[in-house]
Amino acid sequence: TNIRREYKLGETIHALDDLSLTIEKGEFVAIIGPSGCGKSTLLNILGLLDVPNSGEYTIEDKRVDDLSKKQRAQFRNGVFGFVFQSFNLLPRTTTYDNVMLPLKYRRGDHRDGKVREVIASVGLTDRLKSKPNQLSGGQQQRVAIARALVNDPKIILADEPTGNLDTKTGLEIMELFKKIHEAGTTIVMVTHNNELLTYATRVITMKDGQIIKDEREKA
Ligand code: ADP
């Protein structure tokens, strides 16, 4: 509610300008708009990677805009999975170990089973021991999606997840997101690609740090 995020570089840039938005559980939201309109800033604030200068942010009745850094990290790990345009996998590290990473500090014997389960769900069981430079772009993004899924996130935040992929591979990744959404995960995705909007249940258009259009799929 009334979120502002400003950058002071001589003049003040209003990356988010008094923006209010409610996202419901189970939505698949696409955020579009010209470069520099504030899409990534919004996604970073939603994912508790960044904090607004002012405004209120609530997740399931809990105020989260005033958390300490440590609380924010805890909340982030419990609620969100992130998928980026450039995959952001650890190099020289296998599929298995990249996906295990978010679980490293979790106790219990179920870690191995969970890691194999999410890798299977993205169709990469035969590439468990491959490192990123031995995988195609689409396969690397699948590893990144498995890593995002391993903590059973309620919300997946994806910033241009198909931006580095060819059209066909991009659509395969979107089919995977569709499956994840149908299984009950909320998805918020920034995209430049209008062809992908058919996957979303809601399309939000931004301009100059504000929402100028908000369209829900007709039932
Ligand atoms: P988009 O994702 O829509 O391309 P961004 O959220 O990345 O837009 O950026 C919104 C505005 O905030 C732009 O004017 C951008 O230059 C500015 N901005 C983003 N990050 C920073 C930063 N770290 N320092 C200064 N300005 C920034």
Side-chain angles (χ1 to χ4, degrees):
T1 307
N2 303 125
I3 295 291
R4 288 184 183 277
R5 180 68 172 98
E6 296 166 351
Y7 294 104
K8 290 208 166 54
L9 302 164
E11 62 176 323
T12 303
I13 294 166
H14 300 279
L16 296 179
D17 187 6
D18 202 26
L19 183 145
S20 295
L21 167 67
T22 302
I23 294 172
E24 306 287 346
K25 191 172 176 178
E27 286 191 310
F28 189 148
V29 180
I31 300 176
I32 59 173
S35 184
C37 71
K39 303 181 297 295
S40 298
T41 303
L42 175 59
L43 211 65
N44 288 343
I45 286 178
L46 286 174
L48 302 173
L49 292 166
D50 188 15
V51 282
N53 295 98
S54 63
E56 270 183 37
Y57 180 18
T58 306
I59 302 177
E60 291 183 328
D61 297 329
K62 166 116 178 91
R63 270 294 285 272
V64 294
D65 51 84
D66 52 0
L67 298 179
S68 71
K69 204 172 170 187
K70 193 174 164 196
Q71 290 173 315
R72 210 160 48 235
Q74 275 174 351
F75 220 90
R76 184 163 62 230
N77 295 337
V79 176
F80 296 102
F82 295 89
V83 179
F84 302 95
Q85 177 172 0
S86 50
F87 321 135
N88 293 10
L89 300 174
L90 285 185
R92 298 180 292 282
T93 306
T94 64
T95 295
Y96 182 89
D97 287 334
N98 262 294
V99 176
M100 177 63 91
L101 205 66
L103 294 184
K104 218 171 149 191
Y105 304 103
R106 188 192 275 189
R107 286 164 216 243
D109 304 326
H110 305 300
R111 299 192 311 176
D112 176 69
K114 185 68 190 176
V115 169
R116 288 173 188 275
E117 177 195 318
V118 291
I119 291 173
S121 77
V122 301
L124 284 182
T125 297
D126 58 343
R127 305 311 296 269
L128 277 177
K129 292 189 176 145
S130 303
K131 294 172 185 172
N133 64 2
Q134 299 167 323
L135 297 170
S136 70
Q139 288 171 330
Q140 290 181 61
Q141 194 60 303
R142 284 172 187 276
V143 176
I145 291 171
R147 180 185 57 187
L149 288 174
V150 78
N151 265 331
D152 290 320
K154 295 181 179 174
I155 307 169
I156 297 239
L157 299 176
D159 200 346
E160 300 264 10
T162 66
N164 280 357
L165 304 173
D166 63 72
T167 306
K168 179 170 168 285
T169 309
L171 290 175
E172 286 166 9
I173 292 297
M174 290 309 299
E175 288 297 324
L176 188 52
F177 277 122
K178 184 176 168 186
K179 205 171 79 178
I180 294 164
H181 175 242
E182 284 168 356
T185 309
T186 306
I187 299 181
V188 183
M189 171 183 77
V190 166
T191 183
H192 267 117
N193 186 346
N194 287 342
E195 277 176 48
L196 306 184
L197 300 182
T198 52
Y199 287 91
T201 60
R202 181 177 177 190
V203 178
I204 290 174
T205 309
M206 291 182 66
K207 192 185 170 200
D208 297 336
Q210 298 180 327
I211 292 172
I212 57 163
K213 207 179 333 167
D214 187 350
E215 299 168 294
R216 282 197 166 83
E217 187 179 58
K218 292 169 196 76

